[in-house]
Amino acid sequence: MQPLAPGSLRILHLSDTHLTGDGALHQGSTDTATALDAVLASAERIPDVGLVVVSGDVSEDGSPQSYAVLRERVGGWAERHGAALVTVPGNHDQRAGFRQVLANGHVLGAGGQPLMHTLEYLPPTVPVAGQSVVEGRRIVTVDTSVPGAGYGLVADEALDRLRTMLSEPSDRGTVVVLHHTPLPAPTALHAALQLRNADTLAEVVRGTDVRLVLGGHYHHHAAGTWAGVPVLVAPGVANDTDVVGAYDEESAHIDAGYLVVDLAADGSVWSTPVRVPRPDADPLAFHHDADTVTRIIDAAG
Ligand SMILES: [Fe+2]
């Protein structure tokens, strides 16, 4: 992996971990804790990660035990790497279990230091909301989940909160993290589960200091612009949606990946998608050691 440019923030962006409290297989086929471990092992050698983001559908069953798996494994990775950790609920999450273990989703601050939260009971009807600052960037989470539903909606109180927050620009811009990404959906099923008030949210975001939106939900990497801002969808940890199949059908492959997103000092965004190979199914095609690479570079002038 390339070294981080001075002044940039490097974000390890994961999504849709669909962890289970009892180890049950996701969709009857995927051990999601093992898939998460493979993703974290793959990311082990990435230098200079300042922030880890998990953009929703953290859990499949909403149990506190499932959130504890994330806290332990992703939180442990972030602490070892000196990175912050921010997460947000998706449609499969349940706010009660999420809050019990992950509070408002801003779990670790800059340098991987645990963030303190006041213990306050909030009913599941209240969206999870939070913000933190990592290397001068304001990281804002927007809860798009609707209790009991699969589609996304940003509640009026969350819109008001975001509008108020963005009225004051931050030092080095804002990153918005949400689950239901406001980009077109690849299949009919995902289209039915889209963010329903993306246009209203766009009015709040457009023209502000938001530099980047990070989302998930589609279980497949996509990138676009919305409200004048780059939007990145992380591939799923749990599986990968078949986006070239029939639009009105839905299937997924056992596959996992993540994004490495560099946010430069001037607000430029550069994302490197990484697919996590499975040694049984994906044999290495070739390998050059460092000396060989040096010879090739020299020969190329
Ligand atoms: Fe998901």
Side-chain angles (χ1 to χ4, degrees), residues 9 11-15 51-56 58 85-90 98 104-106 128-132 138-145 154 161-162 174-182 201 205 210 212-216 226 230-232 234:
L9 170 65
I11 303 170
L12 179 68
H13 180 198
L14 321 180
S15 198
L51 169 65
V52 181
V53 163
V54 185
S55 54
V58 170
L85 170 60
V86 169
T87 182
V88 71
F98 184 100
N104 68 352
H106 294 250
V128 175
Q131 63 166 318
S132 53
R138 178 167 55 187
I139 315 298
V140 177
T141 44
V142 176
D143 186 350
T144 55
S145 71
V154 185
R161 190 175 170 281
L162 184 64
T174 295
V175 177
V176 168
V177 178
L178 44 67
H179 180 67
H180 295 81
T181 310
L201 182 62
V205 167
V210 174
L212 175 64
V213 174
L214 299 177
W226 163 86
V231 179
L232 299 173

Side-chain angles (χ1 to χ4, degrees), residues 15-18 26 56-60 90-92 179 190 216-219 236 238-239:
S15 198
D16 296 272
T17 46
H18 288 268
H26 178 244
D57 280 0
V58 170
S59 170
E60 176 68 10
N91 48 297
H92 282 270
H179 180 67
H190 277 104
H217 191 45
Y218 294 155
H219 291 219
N239 57 38

